[in-house]
Amino acid sequence: MHKKIIIGAASILLSLSAAAEIETPSKYNLTQGVTDTSQQVYDLHMIILYICIVIGIVVFGAMFYSIINHRKSKGAVAAQFHESTKVEIIWTVIPFVILIAMAIPATSVLIDMEDSSKSDITIKITGSQWKWHYQYFDHDFGFYSLLTTPQQQIQNYSHSTNIEPKGENYLLEVDRELVLPIGKKIRFLITADDVIHSWWVPAFAVKQDANPGFINEAWTRINEPGIYRGQCAELCGKDHGFMPIVVRVLEQKDYDIWLQQQLQQVASAKKAAEQALASTLTMAESMTLGEQVYLTRCAACHQVNGAGIPGAFPALKGSAIALGDITKHIDIVANGKPASAMQAFSKQLTAKELAAVVTYERNAWGNDTGDVVQVTNVNLTEAK
Amino acid sequence: MNTATTTQGSHDSRGHDSSEHDSGEHHDQNAHDHKPKGIMRWILTTNHKDIGTLYLCFSFLMFLIGGAMAMIIRAELYQPGLQIVEPNFFNQMTTVHGLIMVFGAVMPAFTGLANWMIPMMIGAPDMALPRMNNWSFWILPMAFAILLSSLFMEGGGPNFGWTFYAPLSTTYSPPSTALFVFAIHIMGISSILGAINVVVTIINMRAPGMTYMKMPLFVWTWLITAFLLIAVMPVLAATVTMVLTDKFFGTSFFAAAGGGDPVLFQHIFWFFGHPEVYIMILPSFGIVSAIIPTFSRKKLFGYSSMVYATASIAILSFTVWAHHMFTTGMPVAAELFFMYCTMLISVPTGVKVFNWVATMWRGSLTFETPMLFAIAFIILFTIGGFSGLMLAITPADFQYHDTYFVVAHFHYVLVTGAIFSIMAAAYYWLPKWTGNMYDERLGKIHFWASLISVNVLFFPMHFLGLAGMPRRVPDYALQFADFNQLVSIGGFAFGLSQLIFLVVVVKCARGGEKAPAKPWEGAEGLEWDMPSPAPYHSHTTPPVIK
Ligand code: HEM
Ligand SMILES: [Cu+2]
Ligand SMILES: [Cu+2]
């Protein structure tokens, strides 16, 4: 027992000295992060940890002294003392004073953390099962950010040789990162579409719940460019462990370049959407695109084979909707089903993707309706 | 009430030396212990010892079932990637593991101990409300049968965590949620009935001369626990009822779309939940306060300050609930209030630890198994208290919250706290219950195996949490792999070690060296004045209190 404590204490101390040297997040200790706030939080963490270690050494020390020296087998005879108001007062007051000393810095850090006024940039963050959406408030554009780690790695498929082994950023990699500049006070408005999620990036010491129907605020001011990773911290259903957060932090000038690119892309995407409206989709084209979309957006619930999970998520294979009226089918994919896990995908997909995925669902797994949904069909249904 | 009062009145001799004595002379129908044979004895029993035994056996069974689920969790987390279960089932395992351990293992174990020990400790013949006592036990297996059966329903069992935050537990939950709600209701009723029985017994059935300030601390801590239970179990009942109506009857207590608020759920849940964690630790304080003096052969250092500390913890426990909710976006003023109150609650907790150490100081110590578990309790519970204090610091909690650091914290206070104290109590009172000494060598093996494995299991979780691993995930990034493997190995070892305990108890119940009335040299209290095994009816005449 004695040894355990010593080993425990030693490994804590060891890890502290290690953390001081290396910049990468420590394996044993809290990160110091890359913001003033995260540094302050780290300092609070270390102070309270040291206080606990010191109290622990005193209390356990006294106890082990007793255990070693006041044994009956060594002939110890029990003393008779008990009850002392003086002693009781002393060991009530001393911890009390220590705690007040601790509360003072904690209070000032907390008040600072909660003051998100005078911000330079506002980002709206929306969690939904199981992805994040980032909206650049000041520029009126946004995008979803999804896990890119392939299912084959997660499921440990080893038989196929063309699967890469789990990489360094296994489960912490996304298709589109949130991009932020250094040195600016960035305000986050955090909310959710379905259940509660929690947006957490340890390097910024920001963890804020995303509550459906309500907006929470948090802020950060990042000192160093780099890539910072975090995860959803509140249990949000089946794939809670699979909705990472990746933030790429750039120098101001690089950020400006990135921003320009984004705005151009938004403009050209708009044009492409208009063109798509005029063009006709073939079956083959629709099935390829549709499968892609299905695997990233739909398969988590309805499963790769379209069989769903009985009682939780309905099957699409042979389902009344996938084989029935096309407009109804488009409607449920585009607008979701209220009060259920079925989201409104019109906000998340382009009209072309929507059309393709509906085609895919109507023709995959033996659902051989032969229907090819066109972008125009989708637009008509959405407008309703 | 019958059994109690009539027996008390029907004897004029005082003191019992042997159990045969007890069955010999009875004037009243209700007072005999000619109990039905076989299973009916257990189903119909109104005897506090039988009911205590039922509670304890049931609790151990639940401990094994909940433990088996933990083994599944740890097996899945042994390596990165999904190996043996899919995420939805993983979530059901974490949820039901938590529910079973809290409501099925820890709480019934304490109620079992209360049933066995409180009448013996205060000089009463039985609990005050024996028929209700029978019911409060027997509805419990039904509740857990319902809960466990929900795992086999289409759509699966509860998968939203033991804290069942809305709207994950309402709009997005499986249909079996109705069964979950019903099961929780029954567990709650069982707890409330048990608590009422304890309160009535302690207030009305103390032997003459057993003033409040002479009661053993186990009785005191249970009295306070019982009041906590009566205060907060109805709040839990309200919470699950709102979940039920939100999900099935179109209300919107917790849905913003209908004018409700999901954070409201958390306030109500934790208003129950935080006192609940003290419900699971106060009786432990009582147990340890009995064992430490016994094996130190020295009076408890500060009896009255222990009573006051327990009472202040209980009162303060109503003012700290939102420390579980620092990241929900509360106003700063509220965060500060809950931070200060949470820090404050560690002061009376500290007072208790200091008292135990002062009791050991210059005692004459021996280290039988109950004492070993009690000492381990003090150290490891204190480590859990330390991490609690760290979690109380709101800015730091933003980093710790919902990570393995929290998992480490509450397992230190609940496993090496509550469960270790229950083990200590079992070893301490087994000779009294069975009339036989347990196998000391096996007991010590159980202790050391548990102590080492439990720390391999839970200590590295602190590091995992600090390094950023969220809780309730079925898979994790590669930098967490080696610690998770270590944790899983500790978990399997801890799980297996508990089978030793089963062997010890079965062996002891079957036979062994006969136990004297007072097997522990330094023990004090009325239970040790009775023969071992304790007669079927406890003090049939009120004992003399010195
Ligand atoms: C010194 C006394 C204690 C303090 C200051 C304390 C503080 C805290 C805090 C602040 C949290 C919230 C952490 C978070 O979620 O971010 C927490 C969680 C928890 N504590 Fe404690 N605690 C103390 C003692 C105990 C005791 C005695 C128990 C039970 C026997 C306990 C059981 C729990 C449990 C079960 C949770 C987690 C619940 C969940 O989220 O599932 N704590 N504690
Ligand atoms: Cu989430
Ligand atoms: Cu709490």
Side-chain angles (χ1 to χ4, degrees), chain A residues 201-218:
Chain A
V201 177
F204 308 160
V206 171
K207 183 186 284 144
Q208 191 62 254
D209 287 2
N211 299 322
F214 294 84
I215 292 177
N216 269 332
E217 282 185 49

Side-chain angles (χ1 to χ4, degrees), chain B residues 425-444:
Chain B
Y427 282 108
Y428 186 55
W429 284 307
L430 261 178
K432 179 59 55 187
W433 297 339
T434 63
N436 307 316
M437 295 306 287
Y438 60 88
D439 184 335
E440 186 67 51
R441 210 176 64 94
L442 266 186
K444 289 216 164 89

Side-chain angles (χ1 to χ4, degrees), chain A residues 209-283:
Chain A
D209 287 2
N211 299 322
F214 294 84
I215 292 177
N216 269 332
E217 282 185 49
W219 68 271
T220 192
R221 190 194 297 273
I222 305 154
N223 298 330
E224 312 228 351
I227 293 183
Y228 306 105
R229 296 171 201 273
Q231 282 177 271
C232 175
E234 181 63 59
L235 176 65
C236 55
K238 186 168 80 61
D239 285 349
H240 162 55
F242 305 92
M243 52 182 293
I245 294 150
V246 183
V247 186
R248 176 190 296 275
V249 179
L250 304 174
E251 303 275 358
Q252 184 65 46
K253 60 177 188 329
D254 297 331
Y255 176 76
D256 290 337
I257 296 171
W258 176 84
L259 199 61
Q260 282 317 310
Q261 285 170 350
Q262 293 306 306
L263 294 174
Q264 272 162 26
Q265 271 177 26
V266 169
S268 53
K270 221 178 230 155
K271 223 176 263 155
E274 276 158 22
Q275 281 165 6
L277 205 55
S279 69
T280 319
L281 285 162
T282 66
M283 181 63 129

Side-chain angles (χ1 to χ4, degrees), chain B residues 30-259:
Chain B
N30 288 320
H32 63 70
D33 57 346
H34 299 154
K35 45 209 179 231
K37 292 269 172 287
I39 183 85
M40 289 318 277
R41 163 181 172 188
W42 299 103
I43 292 180
L44 299 178
T45 186
T46 53
N47 178 280
H48 76 100
K49 298 196 180 75
D50 281 355
I51 294 174
T53 306
L54 285 171
Y55 267 114
L56 288 169
C57 293
F58 176 76
S59 140
F60 192 70
L61 178 69
M62 286 297 129
F63 183 54
L64 293 184
I65 296 178
M69 294 175 178
M71 296 298 105
I72 295 176
I73 295 169
R74 281 324 314 177
E76 177 55 58
L77 293 174
Y78 185 74
Q79 284 182 333
L82 296 176
Q83 282 84 20
I84 52 176
V85 295
E86 42 98 16
N88 194 34
F89 188 71
F90 182 91
N91 289 346
Q92 293 173 44
M93 286 295 101
T94 53
T95 304
V96 183
H97 162 75
L99 290 169
I100 286 196
M101 288 305 196
V102 168
F103 296 104
V106 174
M107 293 172 70
F110 284 138
T111 316
L113 292 170
N115 262 292
W116 254 100
M117 303 317 299
I118 288 177
M120 301 211 292
M121 286 177 155
I122 63 174
D126 203 304
M127 295 295 281
L129 309 164
R131 282 173 223 279
M132 187 173 95
N133 208 3
N134 173 291
W135 265 101
S136 49
F137 173 75
W138 276 110
I139 59 177
L140 209 49
M142 308 193 194
F144 283 90
I146 293 172
L147 180 66
L148 287 170
S149 70
S150 75
L151 285 172
F152 301 97
M153 265 190 78
E154 201 177 275
N159 58 4
F160 28 66
W162 83 280
T163 49
F164 60 103
Y165 281 10
L168 192 59
S169 61
T170 56
T171 315
Y172 297 86
S173 67
S176 69
T177 305
L179 293 186
F180 159 81
V181 169
F182 192 39
I184 296 286
H185 270 306
I186 302 176
M187 293 169 202
I189 292 171
S190 165
S191 293
I192 292 174
L193 295 182
I196 289 176
N197 211 348
V198 166
V199 170
V200 177
T201 306
I202 296 175
I203 292 181
N204 292 302
M205 307 224 352
R206 281 167 293 125
M210 174 62 78
T211 58
Y212 282 111
M213 289 314 268
K214 277 191 183 157
M215 295 194 311
L217 267 170
F218 180 71
V219 179
W220 253 119
T221 51
W222 237 115
L223 180 63
I224 293 169
T225 302
F227 278 112
L228 284 182
L229 275 167
I230 295 170
V232 301
M233 290 316 274
V235 179
L236 176 65
T239 320
V240 289
T241 307
M242 286 186 263
V243 164
L244 185 81
T245 60
D246 262 17
K247 181 165 177 63
F248 294 104
F249 301 108
T251 57
S252 340
F253 293 109
F254 308 132

